[in-house]
Amino acid sequence: LSQKLLQDVEKDLDKSEREAFQHLSLFRTPFKRTVIDYLNISGEVWNSLVQYRWIKSEGCGNFRMHSLIAEFWRSFASESEDISQWHEKTAKYYWDQGQKSSLEFRSCYLESHYHYKEINKIEEASQVLNELINRIHNKERLPSERLPGLRVWLLKLDEAIIQNNPWLLLEKGRKLEKINNAKEAKNCFENAHQIFNNQQDNFGSSVALYYIGKMRYLMRDYQGTLETLEWVLEKVENDNLMQVRTLGKMVKCYLQLGQEIEAANYADRAEKLARESEDYLGLALALYNQGSIKRHQSYFQQAEKFYSESAKLFEKLGDIYRASKSLARLGKCQQFQAKYKDAEDNLKSAIKLK
């Protein structure tokens, strides 16, 4: 695909075909035929693009423009006075696709966010992310990673905008937590909790409360953590997934307070709930906590069994970070039993995974 060939093609196109090429060149990920309804591309122009293989089918109803063709037409699009409209229409397309999709929603929302951000529509970009974070939390309770590349943008976001988007506020708190700013993170979680309460969003409120409890745990206020998490349990009595994760955090509190019997009782509750719910991530977390209790009690052989099971389950679920953590704990327990070869193998595996 030489530049000359593309230039020759460009000369023979009419205005509608030229605009279709320019607009579609802005798409960084595959798109469906329904895109023509958003971009005002006629069926005739679409069929022509497909027929001459300027856009190619990737299966499952998805299409993509060849990267070299897209690069050529993007240079024209960047100079067009219509580019802001095209970005906005592209953002709307991806937002709608995200709302309709149950599997690929994350990438659709992120593309929508990107295009709104390109034209400085910060409120819309924020609303898109707020909706995405809500979807992620509903799909997986208290997920460990959500939007790894957006920390700088999120921390610089105007307070007036973020206050209208409580899931985004919650995410800002998580980013602050990651950089060890527990005090400001806790403020974000408390503000989010208040907004969720005002919106009568019980699920959002319980998630915010969980993170308030987590911050109290990091501040070593273990009794305060337990009180907050008991409140969470009351709010999520019909949500087994949230209960399992909340019980797990309470296990850690009781261990810090030296109350091993209470820790064991809560760990048993969490494991039972996870098995009943077929919540495999929750089960892996519960097994890890069971291992921590046995390790705390110096029952290293029993701890070894739990850590081994949790490591296998985390790895099967694709949770590499937690699998690595389980293997590291497993190796430590084997060291205490003078199983030095097994310990070395598992510690090396933990480092390799991480």
Side-chain angles (χ1 to χ4, degrees):
L1 285 170
S2 68
Q3 286 289 104
K4 187 176 185 311
L5 172 61
L6 291 170
Q7 288 167 357
D8 290 341
V9 169
E10 190 269 336
K11 291 174 184 175
D12 293 332
L13 298 175
D14 63 27
K15 184 175 183 290
S16 62
E17 291 171 326
R18 204 173 280 116
E19 286 187 353
F21 268 113
Q22 291 180 57
H23 196 158
L24 289 171
S25 73
L26 300 180
F27 283 72
R28 306 186 305 171
T29 62
F31 45 84
K32 299 185 182 296
R33 190 184 189 280
T34 52
V35 76
I36 67 176
D37 299 328
Y38 292 81
L39 313 187
N40 299 323
I41 296 174
S42 70
E44 183 181 355
V45 169
W46 172 269
N47 292 337
S48 175
L49 295 178
V50 173
Q51 180 183 348
Y52 291 106
R53 300 175 69 81
W54 297 118
I55 56 175
K56 294 176 65 175
S57 171
E58 293 197 333
C60 301
N62 291 319
F63 294 84
R64 185 193 289 270
M65 184 179 286
H66 190 284
S67 60
L68 292 177
I69 300 173
E71 183 181 350
F72 174 82
W73 284 102
R74 215 160 20 241
S75 66
F76 288 94
S78 64
E79 298 173 359
S80 172
E81 62 184 19
D82 296 321
I83 190 168
S84 291
Q85 293 179 33
W86 294 341
H87 273 299
E88 188 166 8
K89 289 177 179 179
T90 305
K92 183 67 171 74
Y93 166 79
Y94 277 119
W95 195 349
D96 286 352
Q97 290 300 305
Q99 290 175 333
K100 294 172 186 174
S101 174
S102 58
L103 296 175
E104 300 174 355
F105 69 88
R106 186 188 295 247
S107 63
C108 291
Y109 278 110
L110 288 175
E111 282 302 300
S112 179
H113 168 77
Y114 164 79
H115 286 284
Y116 278 129
K117 196 171 62 169
E118 282 292 291
I119 53 175
N120 207 33
K121 284 192 167 283
I122 303 303
E123 289 192 23
E124 288 84 349
S126 301
Q127 289 168 18
V128 167
L129 284 191
N130 190 69
E131 198 170 295
L132 169 59
I133 297 162
N134 186 0
R135 289 280 300 275
I136 292 172
H137 275 274
N138 273 281
K139 186 176 182 181
E140 180 191 336
R141 297 299 187 266
L142 308 175
S144 58
E145 190 58 85
R146 297 144 311 282
L147 306 170
L150 294 171
R151 188 182 74 187
V152 173
W153 182 84
L154 192 54
L155 294 181
K156 288 182 177 178
L157 198 57
D158 185 86
E159 285 298 318
I161 292 176
I162 209 166
Q163 289 294 335
N164 294 323
N165 296 283
W167 288 102
L168 207 55
L169 186 57
L170 202 71
E171 186 65 16
K172 180 179 179 180
R174 295 299 312 277
K175 299 303 184 194
L176 289 165
E177 176 196 342
K178 285 282 186 183
I179 58 174
N180 299 316
N181 193 337
K183 185 177 179 181
E184 284 194 35
K186 184 169 173 283
N187 288 338
C188 285
F189 298 142
E190 288 172 343
N191 290 339
H193 176 242
Q194 185 60 53
I195 296 168
F196 283 128
N197 276 345
N198 293 341
Q199 295 177 349
Q200 297 184 323
D201 183 340
N202 187 67
F203 176 61
S205 172
S206 65
V207 172
L209 266 181
Y210 174 89
Y211 286 120
I212 293 169
K214 186 178 180 183
M215 291 307 97
R216 286 179 172 161
Y217 178 85
L218 292 176
M219 295 172 180
R220 301 186 180 185
D221 176 13
Y222 303 124
Q223 200 57 51
T225 301
L226 288 171
E227 291 170 5
T228 302
L229 295 180
E230 284 289 359
W231 190 7
V232 175
L233 286 179
E234 291 175 15
K235 294 174 77 69
V236 298
E237 59 181 345
N238 297 317
D239 186 339
N240 286 0
L241 302 183
M242 272 294 289
Q243 284 193 62
V244 169
R245 284 142 186 80
T246 305
L247 289 166
K249 183 59 69 178
M250 296 176 82
V251 168
K252 294 178 181 178
C253 281
Y254 281 119
L255 282 178
Q256 291 291 345
L257 292 168
Q259 299 178 28
E260 294 171 356
I261 294 175
E262 287 83 354
N265 288 338
Y266 277 80
D268 288 342
R269 281 177 63 185
E271 184 180 347
K272 183 173 182 291
L273 269 176
R275 292 187 186 280
E276 289 174 353
S277 310
E278 296 185 350
D279 172 14
Y280 298 112
L281 177 57
L283 178 57
L285 292 167
L287 292 170
Y288 179 89
N289 285 331
Q290 294 278 26
S292 296
I293 293 169
K294 297 305 178 185
R295 181 175 64 89
H296 197 268
Q297 297 171 324
S298 298
Y299 296 150
F300 298 117
Q301 188 172 1
Q302 294 177 46
E304 183 182 351
K305 172 179 173 291
F306 285 118
Y307 284 135
S308 177
E309 289 179 6
S310 69
K312 289 174 185 174
L313 195 45
F314 280 133
E315 194 163 3
K316 186 176 179 181
L317 292 167
D319 193 332
I320 302 304
Y321 172 75
R322 287 179 174 134
S324 171
K325 199 172 175 182
S326 292
L327 286 170
R329 295 292 192 189
L330 172 59
K332 288 292 184 182
C333 287
Q334 289 167 333
Q335 277 184 338
F336 284 122
Q337 299 173 81
K339 298 179 179 179
Y340 298 120
K341 180 64 173 66
D342 290 340
E344 182 182 2
D345 290 343
N346 283 309
L347 289 170
K348 282 182 177 178
S349 294
I351 294 168
K352 187 177 178 181
L353 273 179
K354 198 170 183 180

